């Protein structure tokens, strides 16, 4: 095996992607937990920490550009770097969804929730697990796992539809519920989008490993 | 153009092997090189790229002890059956080191047409101007066509050699590392020139510079020696395919620099 420096740089950029995915996964989980607990300090922390995630993603981009400029990668190396750039963008957007949930949580403020949350934490659990599994599949070059992970998105979509229908009944029941209903619906929508973003990541994994562009959405 | 016509036009080999005495240097190579395109041959030193390139204009005939098996065809005709002077008119060649004749710029370009019977001075002048223009050298030399070809810069000398090659209206231009002795600016000029020339000529280039192969060629052929040190064609495809999704792991290992 030759190209030790190049291999070291590729490992470094993959490690960084893995780390920032961990940060995003944590923020997503906490954003829903703080929503449930009505923890305003926690929600503020999520909003602020998103800035650090954005900086980490920029660092990954910068590293990729520098590797492309100095090492002239081709074939699987080029596909890998191209995918890292795209996956890091998806991760950054998932971070934005977590921040969005925290912001909505702050907007709801001290009001008590119109219902105990069941499906929203469930959606977060599913989407977060998809994200963790997808990044593991990426690190392990596992296209088969990626395809299988992407299929879980259908379950998240179904849960979103269910949450949406349920929230409509709350509006019909009591008009004053309308404000919080819209906000909770928006939160569920954010989580539904996380599933779509992870599906995009799964497409990039398949491209990295096989060179084929597939549409899993 | 139907399939047969496509095959009849351009260069191809079928089960072509080349031996230097008892040593097999090329092993049963079959390839169809598309016309009016640039095809790059890449592979490590000693894999037979240059030997293969020289098979198309029978340059290997000059080496004692060379024997071949199989076929090398140009426009559907076996090169072994062609008159070698006519063959080399059809198949021009540009080498690694620019090798202008120790004559004037004009005489360098007029040499081939003269050899093939163009005697009239004004006819020659037309050919020289046209060839130098096609080789993107005209503007730099037009004011003094009688200065020595050897007095030009390296990059200009190489374009002079290209002008000399195209003066006899070949169909094919073989280029063996045409830019490896040139600086980056002269290299880019040669590469741009190749891109313009492919409208009229079929170009085959041997290069060690993988980025150059990726930049200039439409098709790429990867060659590698087997356990007996004979050169084999491992993979042939569009340059985009070879450099993004090679199908053979040996190609992948070579182009990503993880070879050996």
């Amino acid at each position: 095996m030759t190209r030790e420096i190049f291999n070291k740089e590729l490992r470094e950029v993959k490690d960084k992607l893995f780390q920032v995915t961990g940060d995003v996964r944590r923020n997503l989980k906490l954003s829903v937990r703080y929503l449930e607990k009505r923890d305003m300090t926690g929600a503020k922390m999520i909003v602020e920490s998103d800035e650090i995630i954005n900086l980490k993603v920029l660092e990954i981009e910068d590293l990729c550009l520098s590797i492309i400029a100095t090492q002239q990668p081709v074939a699987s190396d080029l596909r890998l770097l191209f995918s890292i750039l795209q996956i890091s963008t998806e991760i950054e957007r998932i971070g934005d969804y977590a921040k969005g949930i925290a912001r909505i949580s702050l907007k709801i403020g001290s009001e008590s929730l119109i219902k105990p949350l069941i499906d929203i934490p469930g959606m977060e659990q599913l989407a977060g697990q998809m994200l963790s599994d997808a990044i593991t599949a990426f690190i392990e070059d596992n296209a088969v796992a990626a395809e299988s992970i992407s299929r879980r998105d259908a379950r998240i979509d179904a849960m979103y539809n269910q949450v949406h229908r349920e929230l409509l009944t709350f509006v019909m029941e009591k008009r004053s519920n309308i404000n919080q209903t819209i906000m909770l619906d928006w939160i569920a929508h954010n989580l539904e989008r996380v599933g779509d973003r992870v599906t995009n990541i799964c497409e990039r994994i398949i491209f990295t490993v096989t060179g084929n562009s597939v549409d899993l959405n | 153009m139907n399939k047969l016509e496509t095959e009849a036009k351009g260069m191809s080999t079928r089960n072509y092997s080349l031996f230097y005495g008892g040593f097999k240097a090329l092993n049963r190579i079959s390839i169809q090189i598309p016309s009016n395109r640039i095809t790059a041959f890449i592979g490590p030193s000693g894999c037979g790229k240059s030997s293969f390139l020289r098979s198309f204009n029978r340059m290997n005939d000059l080496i004692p002890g060379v024997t071949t098996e199989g076929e090398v065809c140009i426009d559907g005709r076996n090169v072994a059956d062609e008159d070698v002077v006519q063959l080399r008119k059809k198949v021009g060649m540009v080498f690694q080191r620019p090798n202008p004749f120790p004559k004037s710029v004009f005489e360098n370009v007029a040499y081939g047409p003269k050899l093939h019977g163009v005697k009239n001075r004004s006819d020659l002048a037309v050919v020289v101007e046209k060839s130098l223009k096609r080789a993107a050298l005209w503007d730099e030399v037009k004011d003094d066509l009688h200065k020595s070809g050897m007095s030009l810069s390296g990059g200009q000398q190489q374009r002079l050699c290209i002008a000399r090659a195209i003066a006899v209206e070949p169909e094919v231009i073989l280029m063996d590392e045409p830019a490896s002795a040139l600086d980056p600016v002269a290299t880019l000029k040669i590469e741009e020139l190749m891109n313009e020339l492919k409208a009229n000529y079929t170009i085959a280039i041997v290069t060690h510079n993988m980025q150059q192969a990726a930049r200039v060629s439409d098709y790429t052929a990867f060659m590698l020696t087997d356990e007996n040190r004979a050169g084999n064609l491992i993979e042939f495809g569009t340059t985009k395919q070879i450099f993004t999704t090679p199908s053979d792991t040996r190609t992948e290992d070579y182009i990503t620099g993880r070879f050996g």
Side-chain angles (χ1 to χ4, degrees):
Chain A
M1 183 72 102
T2 52
R3 302 199 77 173
E4 280 310 315
I5 295 168
F6 183 32
N7 291 334
K8 188 175 146 281
E9 288 177 344
L10 287 178
R11 271 198 305 277
E12 189 186 340
V13 74
K14 272 176 124 174
D15 282 351
K16 283 187 187 293
L17 184 69
F18 195 69
Q19 282 168 17
V20 75
T21 306
D23 295 347
V24 167
R25 169 78 171 102
R26 198 187 55 246
N27 268 10
L28 194 66
K29 190 190 262 304
L30 291 176
S31 68
V32 173
R33 185 179 296 166
Y34 294 149
L35 170 75
E36 287 180 283
K37 288 187 168 179
R38 313 302 315 114
D39 181 340
M40 297 302 124
T41 318
K44 266 184 206 143
M45 222 168 62
I46 301 279
V47 174
E48 282 160 14
S49 69
D50 186 59
E51 198 52 43
I52 296 162
I53 287 170
N54 293 348
L55 287 174
K56 285 185 178 178
V57 168
L58 282 177
E59 204 184 316
I60 289 170
E61 276 181 22
D62 197 47
L63 208 53
C64 284
L65 288 181
S66 139
I67 296 174
I68 290 169
T70 56
Q71 299 287 351
Q72 288 101 37
V74 293
S76 58
D77 295 328
L78 181 60
R79 298 202 302 273
L80 173 69
L81 284 164
F82 184 71
S83 295
I84 289 175
L85 280 171
Q86 295 204 313
I87 291 173
S88 65
T89 307
E90 303 289 355
I91 300 285
E92 192 269 325
R93 296 309 295 269
I94 295 172
D96 288 346
Y97 293 135
K99 180 174 77 172
I101 293 169
R103 274 200 172 138
I104 295 169
S105 194
L106 289 170
K107 270 193 181 157
I108 295 173
S110 55
E111 273 178 40
S112 56
L113 296 177
I114 54 175
K115 65 180 285 291
L117 299 180
I118 298 160
D119 287 330
I120 285 179
M123 285 177 79
E124 184 283 313
Q125 180 60 33
L126 270 176
Q129 194 60 48
M130 262 180 95
L131 175 62
S132 299
D133 293 347
I135 211 70
T136 304
F138 178 67
I139 300 294
E140 293 172 352
D141 290 332
N142 192 339
V144 177
E147 211 268 327
S148 146
I149 292 161
S150 73
R151 284 201 294 268
R152 295 189 222 156
D153 185 40
R155 177 87 189 101
I156 299 177
D157 291 347
M159 283 175 92
Y160 172 60
N161 290 336
Q162 188 180 315
V163 170
H164 184 73
R165 280 195 306 270
E166 192 189 353
L167 287 171
L168 283 180
T169 63
F170 277 89
V171 181
M172 287 185 267
E173 201 178 282
K174 201 169 155 197
R175 292 197 107 191
S176 63
N177 284 340
I178 196 162
N179 191 42
Q180 207 184 101
T181 304
I182 289 170
M183 293 199 195
L184 290 176
D185 191 77
W186 193 239
I187 286 172
H189 181 72
N190 272 5
L191 293 169
E192 188 272 326
R193 292 295 293 145
V194 173
D196 295 343
R197 296 278 176 186
V198 178
T199 304
N200 293 345
I201 294 174
C202 292
E203 289 174 356
R204 299 330 301 178
I205 297 167
I206 293 170
F207 171 73
T208 310
V209 179
T210 67
N212 298 324
S213 296
V214 291
D215 183 6
L216 299 173
N217 262 309
Chain B
M1 218 184 293
N2 65 34
K3 189 169 177 283
L4 271 178
E5 280 174 298
T6 314
E7 278 177 11
K9 246 186 108 46
M11 306 191 284
S12 62
T13 65
R14 199 180 317 158
N15 293 328
Y16 179 69
S17 300
L18 180 134
F19 303 80
Y20 292 116
F23 170 63
K24 192 180 206 180
L26 294 173
N27 182 34
R28 297 174 66 83
I29 295 181
S30 297
I31 193 170
Q32 175 78 44
I33 295 174
S35 297
N36 294 104
R37 293 287 181 275
I38 299 171
T39 299
F41 288 85
I42 59 168
S45 296
C47 73
K49 313 180 288 285
S50 291
S51 297
F52 187 59
L53 196 73
R54 287 154 194 260
S55 299
F56 288 99
N57 64 351
R58 287 177 48 193
M59 287 281 284
N60 295 318
D61 289 12
L62 304 170
I63 302 165
V66 164
T67 52
T68 63
E69 284 171 7
E71 282 180 358
V72 176
C73 291
I74 290 182
D75 294 343
R77 291 174 58 177
N78 195 330
V79 297
D81 303 332
E82 298 242 8
D83 170 64
V84 79
V85 176
Q86 287 307 313
L87 175 67
R88 290 187 191 148
K89 178 176 182 292
K90 209 190 282 186
V91 186
M93 189 147 189
V94 176
F95 298 88
Q96 181 174 1
R97 295 212 159 267
N99 55 350
F101 302 136
K103 292 167 178 288
S104 71
V105 170
F106 186 94
E107 288 301 328
N108 260 281
V109 184
Y111 187 85
K114 272 185 181 172
L115 193 72
H116 289 282
V118 183
K119 296 273 186 274
N120 184 305
R121 189 82 188 164
S122 63
D123 288 348
L124 283 171
V126 170
V127 174
V128 168
E129 180 174 343
K130 189 171 143 195
S131 305
L132 286 169
K133 277 183 174 164
R134 278 198 177 164
L137 187 60
W138 176 251
D139 288 340
E140 292 160 57
V141 297
K142 65 181 177 196
D143 297 327
D144 191 3
L145 292 173
H146 298 288
K147 72 176 166 189
S148 167
M150 312 289 280
S151 69
L152 301 177
S153 73
Q156 288 173 326
Q157 285 188 19
Q158 194 63 305
R159 279 179 282 144
L160 178 62
C161 292
I162 292 172
R164 188 177 63 189
I166 61 187
V168 292
E169 297 283 334
E171 291 174 23
V172 174
I173 304 173
L174 307 175
M175 296 184 163
D176 194 351
E177 295 271 3
S180 61
L182 305 180
D183 69 37
V185 175
T187 297
L188 280 178
K189 273 198 175 158
I190 297 288
E191 290 178 2
E192 279 169 19
L193 175 60
M194 289 172 70
N195 195 40
E196 282 165 29
L197 291 175
K198 75 175 178 185
N200 298 305
Y201 310 96
T202 301
I203 297 174
I205 174 177
V206 161
T207 177
H208 269 118
N209 180 335
M210 235 117 41
Q211 274 70 49
Q212 180 171 62
R215 275 195 303 268
V216 302
S217 69
D218 302 296
Y219 293 86
T220 297
F222 171 59
M223 292 175 68
L224 194 60
T225 48
D226 59 20
E227 62 282 5
N228 301 317
R229 293 194 298 127
N232 284 263
L233 177 65
I234 303 298
E235 190 169 352
F236 176 58
T238 64
T239 297
K240 176 173 180 272
Q241 181 255 317
I242 297 286
F243 281 91
T244 57
T245 48
S247 38
D248 196 292
T249 50
R250 289 167 295 180
T251 315
E252 171 98 28
D253 287 348
Y254 182 72
I255 64 170
T256 58
R258 290 185 174 80
F259 172 82

